[in-house]
Amino acid sequence: MTTTTTHTNETVARRSLELISQRDTGAAVDDVIHPNCVNHRAPGGSGPDGFRGIVTWLNAAFADLSISPEDIISSGDKVVARA
């Protein structure tokens, strides 16, 4: 895993948190969430549509939701964000 790939993975994690805070369910989601991404708990299924369901659900549940990443740690193809 190269430094560039690790940086890219961290950037994608940061961007996904921004999309949730910005209530963005538009085309930007397609740039961040892979079509084959599987999330068994996402309303709306998996892939970008599942992520859109999560964005909608979280922002409906928490009207003033704002997510700020405190730490983003990556190793290989795994990324963990503490927000």
Side-chain angles (χ1 to χ4, degrees):
M1 185 69 45
T2 66
T3 303
T4 303
T5 303
T6 300
H7 176 71
T8 300
N9 291 343
E10 291 176 5
T11 300
V12 168
R14 184 178 309 279
R15 182 69 181 125
S16 66
L17 295 174
E18 290 171 357
L19 291 172
I20 294 169
S21 292
Q22 295 168 354
R23 296 169 168 72
D24 189 342
T25 58
V29 172
D30 296 321
D31 295 334
V32 176
I33 306 300
H34 192 278
N36 295 333
C37 171
V38 175
N39 185 332
H40 298 287
R41 296 183 177 208
S46 294
D49 288 337
F51 185 81
R52 288 180 178 97
I54 290 170
V55 171
T56 301
W57 173 76
L58 283 172
N59 283 288
F62 306 100
D64 59 349
L65 180 66
S66 177
I67 299 174
S68 300
E70 300 295 327
D71 293 304
I72 295 182
I73 303 164
S74 59
S75 177
D77 63 349
K78 293 177 179 47
V79 179
V80 176
R82 182 177 71 91

